[in-house]
Amino acid sequence: MATDADAIIVGGGLAGLVAAAEIADAGKRVIVLDQEGETSLGGQAFWSLGGLFFVDSPEQRRLRIKDSRDLAMHDWLGSAQFDRPHDHWPRRWAQAYVDFAAGEMRSWLHAMGMRWFPVVGWAERGGGFADGHGNSVPRFHITWGTGPGVLEPFVRRVRAHAAEGRIVLKFRHRVSRLVRTDGRVTGAAGEILEPSSVERGERSGRAAVGEFELAAGAVVVASGGIGGDFDLVRKNWPVERLGLPPVTMVAGVPHHVDGRMIAITRDAGGAVINADRMWHYTEGVKNWSPIWPNHGIRILPGPSSLWLDATGNRLPAPCLPGFDTLATLRHILSTGHDYSWFILTQKIIKKEFALSGSEQNPDFTAKSWRAVLKSRRGAGAPPPVEAFKEKGEDFIVRDTLAELVEAMNALTDEKLLDHDRIKAQIEARDCQIDNPFSKDAQITAIRGARAYLGDKLIRTAAPHKMLDPKNGPLIAVRLHVLTRKSLGGLHTDLESRVLDSAGNPVPGLYAAGEVAGFGGGGYHGYNALEGTFLGGCIFSGRAAGRHIAAS
């Protein structure tokens, strides 16, 4: 049978680029198909903060963080909580990825030119028990250049192969069918979409102007997750674990992250597992300058903001900023509302607020130390945060608590918040500041965070009384549920081969990245430790590419 290439990659995001580069390095011919235009090469990874999960890295050791493969594996399994018969391959992927993150991952990426910010972030600090969810130590390494910095070496490799004719990039090619011949996947077919000149992330047209069918020895599905399709998110929502899905959400990913290839791959014989496992954030705010529909941005909070539900009651531990994402999501939805509130001070926002995404961190994205020092050590919060404080509809700034609560009620038009009740809770919290010890779990967590040099320097404000005017003004932020990641997906073995319902590889079919649950059909299990989404795209894309190259 004549073929157009040795391999077809469906999706030009990070996983697809890694797979394409690895296959072309072996001298094989690759076609990359993407339904978006060339401006969107790199996919969702472009918009990321560029965090990567490394274990026992030089950056950690310089900060006297004692990490190990065994500790990381203990944390991963405590977070994943694998409990299903089909979790065999997800568990194997988790073990292989931790080995990679503790082994050659950093040196391999470093050799391609990737570098990282010297202060390691401490994300997902956990649910309160050593054998449960969370990172025991800081492991979140921000790539110098953020998401574009992660993409750069792989884009460079793919472009070099394209110049030599080994890779062909076909944009505005939407796959609607995987071609099967005698039980083997032998190609992909679909529609050629109308030309588009929209900027990266903006909604593009979907009118078809032609059709295509291409043949190859292998097909890699690397098309991403479902976060841009709210209906699909709600369809897969785990009601029994998280409660009813939110009525309103904001989108943390562009509209083209639509999950359509999952059903298409299932029709070609691939099995989907753990579709109910997903990862959505509770600290979303509406972007005052949106790029895609319902565009939301996640606040990356330090540990000090007071977190209240929609009725003005303080969230219980471990539902603290930066600690346990899904426990917090479950608690918020149990109140019968789909939003919550931060109350904080100017001192807190200046030191602790960051915004997720490459475009919200222009200093890191531009790889400018001068810009980093100017924006992170200035008189106010970083400029993008100050812009949200000034222009974002979810931000309220007032001098007194009475004025703040009145404005909070006006913003929702629900009148659910009682000033005296909120004041009593803040006063109780403030009285815990007078001693270096406390019975308040959040105050204890703040002091614990500041025991880590990285947090003390740039991420955690010194404990202070929120109602003391010298620490003001007071700030309230309405927080929405923000869609982000699919933790389940196409079932794959360690070579990224897609498995059928009986657990056997579908000949010629591979999957990598989020569409495969970042490996195995869900190597995170129920919870993510952060820095493991981009890392999973790299690891699974590399596995697919290398297996195809060697086949």
Side-chain angles (χ1 to χ4, degrees), residues 109-134:
L109 297 174
H110 189 277
M112 283 187 268
M114 214 178 286
R115 300 293 184 267
W116 298 275
F117 189 63
V119 179
V120 183
W122 195 355
E124 284 298 299
R125 304 182 189 210
F129 293 101
D131 59 353
H133 170 55

Side-chain angles (χ1 to χ4, degrees), residues 254-309:
H255 77 106
H256 59 77
V257 185
D258 55 17
R260 65 192 311 274
M261 283 304 302
I262 296 173
I264 292 168
T265 308
R266 185 194 289 120
D267 290 342
V272 177
I273 62 172
N274 300 321
D276 63 322
R277 293 178 182 170
M278 51 183 67
W279 191 254
H280 306 302
Y281 293 111
T282 51
E283 311 98 330
V285 292
K286 296 178 181 178
N287 193 344
W288 62 270
S289 180
I291 298 171
W292 55 78
N294 302 306
H295 190 173
I297 295 293
R298 185 198 174 199
I299 294 171
L300 303 174
S304 301
S305 297
L306 194 74
W307 208 335
L308 305 177
D309 66 26

Side-chain angles (χ1 to χ4, degrees), residues 394-406:
D394 295 309
F395 284 71
I396 300 168
V397 182
R398 297 291 187 273
D399 290 325
T400 69
L401 184 63
E403 294 173 314
L404 191 76
V405 173
E406 181 181 11

Side-chain angles (χ1 to χ4, degrees), residues 124-127 282-283 298 301-307 314-325 327-328 342 440-446:
E124 284 298 299
R125 304 182 189 210
T282 51
E283 311 98 330
R298 185 198 174 199
S304 301
S305 297
L306 194 74
W307 208 335
R314 194 173 175 191
L315 271 58
C319 303
L320 305 174
F323 276 72
D324 192 330
T325 291
T328 305
F342 276 164
D440 188 284
Q442 186 172 15
I443 301 302
T444 300
I446 294 168

Side-chain angles (χ1 to χ4, degrees), residues 48 268 356 547:
S48 75
S356 183
H547 190 265

Side-chain angles (χ1 to χ4, degrees), residues 421-476:
R421 170 65 181 148
I422 293 175
K423 182 181 180 183
Q425 292 177 89
I426 298 177
E427 287 177 338
R429 178 253 183 222
D430 280 0
C431 77
Q432 299 287 303
I433 300 298
D434 292 330
N435 294 288
F437 37 84
S438 170
K439 70 175 182 179
D440 188 284
Q442 186 172 15
I443 301 302
T444 300
I446 294 168
R447 298 190 191 283
R450 287 176 61 82
Y452 166 48
L453 179 61
D455 273 358
K456 185 173 183 179
L457 287 175
I458 64 171
R459 284 293 284 153
T460 306
H464 60 272
K465 296 187 176 183
M466 298 181 76
L467 294 182
D468 186 337
K470 71 181 181 182
N471 297 319
L474 289 167
I475 302 163

Side-chain angles (χ1 to χ4, degrees), residues 170-220:
K170 290 184 176 291
F171 301 102
R172 303 298 283 164
H173 280 60
R174 182 180 65 188
V175 174
S176 296
R177 177 172 58 92
L178 296 179
V179 180
R180 297 189 71 182
T181 306
D182 298 328
R184 181 182 184 87
V185 172
T186 56
E191 301 78 41
I192 302 172
L193 303 180
E194 62 184 341
S196 175
S197 59
V198 301
E199 295 297 321
R200 182 188 292 270
E202 294 180 353
R203 181 189 289 274
S204 59
R206 286 294 179 262
V209 296
E211 297 181 345
F212 71 91
E213 182 170 330
L214 298 166
V219 175
V220 182

